Amino acid sequence: MKFDTRAIHEGQKPDTQTGAVIVPVYQTSTYEQETIGKHKGFEYSRTGNPTRKALEESLASLEGGNYGLAFASGVAATVAVLSVLKSGDHVISGNDIYGGTYRIFEKVFKQWGLDVSYADVDKIESFEKAIKKNTKLIWIETPTNPLLKIIDIKRLAGFAKKKGVLLAVDNTFASPYFQRPLELGADIVVHSTTKYLAGHSDVIGGAVITSNEALYKDIKFYQNAAGGVPGTWDSWLVLRGIKTLAVRMREHEKNALYLAKYLEKYKQVEKVYYPGLKSHPQHYIAKAQMSGFSGMLSIELKGGFKAVEQFVSKLKIFTLAESLGGVESLVCYPARMTHASLGEKERFKRGIKDNLVRLSVGIENKADLKNDINNALAL
Ligand SMILES: Cc1ncc(COP(=O)(O)O)c(C=O)c1O
């Protein structure tokens, strides 16, 4: 079955008891046992729940993996992956990542003895150079948040495999519709399902997908032991969002490409970051490993923070808010919002300037979005 069909049907057969076409919300914490230890596959909803199971099967199918695990948030999914590591292990992370992931590395896992270093995502060789005897995991996002840089997954996976290091890819910005890292050789895919997968800015969720059975068992053990699972309603909402993922992603991309091309010519715009533009330094990699360029773009405005303040306050359709990937367009100021936890020094070092604005392009009418930006940029 093709992607669009799997998004609607995988893991979501009509309910065997009632024939309900849609997977029910199994709002139960526990399950009857006929005799001690004899049950229908579910014991307790932290360990497993039928609605969550449907979501996990759907996620695995969309990413082309054998196993999916759902979590209460994207950061809970990130922590679950890192939980397979031990004190003294080394992680190489790309240097352009979500601020919350950086915060997990710096403020949580470093205290527990994890060794973390950052490689320059513009130079793939820097990952190779950073490898040490105790390196166990490479962590990347591609496209990256917030600078939309692209990393060659196949090349990095080949290198990681040779060194016996796991490669985890946070695929939130692309969604499995446009990019499937496991098929390119990655070991683990992570998502904030809050974003494109759920798609309607109404739920927080996360996911881990892998085809490695041993890793799956370890992360599943952690999922039950630590308990950062999504509730039933939240699982159901993500599952419902997934049904329209393919249609939504096509529209997100169409609108983002249209706006990126427009903004590139705009005199108040210093720079446009969008992997679908021919001017993007890694456009050729994006073209090779993605089937589309998704709906995220960032711009640098002439006039610094003052221009940014004016721009975001004048926008009417784009809402100033954290998050991304919903049907509605959002604008975000990474320096003070998603990437505030980096602090000024780290932020500058990573190229996140004071005049950087991130746009999550929604699926409204593209002419309305263009007019909104045009009015907001007008002096
Ligand atoms: C790329 C990326 N990964 C992970 C996360 C964390 O996800 P959540 O907010 O669902 O915990 C985010 C949140 O913005 C993100 O942008």
Side-chain angles (χ1 to χ4, degrees), residues 344-362:
E344 201 168 83
K345 197 169 142 228
E346 280 300 320
R347 182 164 62 75
F348 283 142
K349 211 164 90 185
R350 288 154 199 253
I352 303 167
K353 298 182 187 164
D354 282 339
N355 63 345
L356 184 83
V357 176
R358 195 189 74 183
L359 300 174
S360 172
V361 181

Side-chain angles (χ1 to χ4, degrees), residues 122-263:
D122 287 322
K123 298 186 194 109
I124 200 156
E125 325 78 67
S126 65
F127 285 90
E128 195 159 3
K129 281 191 191 137
I131 213 113
K132 302 197 281 192
K133 269 205 182 100
N134 56 339
T135 306
K136 292 281 158 44
L137 178 77
I138 293 175
W139 180 281
I140 59 163
E141 291 174 13
T142 178
T144 62
N145 184 2
L147 295 175
L148 286 314
K149 296 181 179 187
I150 303 293
I151 305 165
D152 187 333
I153 298 174
K154 213 181 219 171
R155 216 175 129 193
L156 198 56
F159 153 74
K161 227 157 235 122
K162 252 194 261 161
K163 299 279 182 184
V165 172
L166 295 170
L167 174 63
V169 179
D170 181 333
N171 201 28
T172 300
F173 268 35
S175 91
Y177 182 68
F178 285 132
Q179 175 176 274
R180 287 178 293 282
L182 298 181
E183 292 172 4
L184 298 165
D187 301 286
I188 303 163
V189 167
V190 173
H191 276 284
S192 165
T193 56
T194 312
K195 312 296 174 0
Y196 286 115
L197 283 158
H200 295 75
S201 306
D202 52 12
V203 64
I204 299 285
V208 177
I209 301 107
T210 184
S211 288
N212 178 322
E213 193 183 351
L215 263 178
Y216 165 70
K217 282 186 175 158
D218 283 353
I219 299 170
K220 178 149 180 65
F221 171 84
Y222 175 86
Q223 183 196 42
N224 180 49
V229 293
T232 316
W233 276 102
D234 287 358
S235 298
W236 189 87
L237 277 170
V238 178
L239 202 52
R240 182 170 72 164
I242 283 174
K243 286 177 191 283
T244 55
L245 179 68
V247 225
R248 284 187 283 108
M249 292 316 293
R250 290 196 285 267
E251 293 302 307
H252 280 296
E253 190 208 19
K254 219 179 342 174
N255 283 357
L257 187 60
Y258 174 76
L259 292 182
K261 282 183 178 165
Y262 170 72
L263 285 162

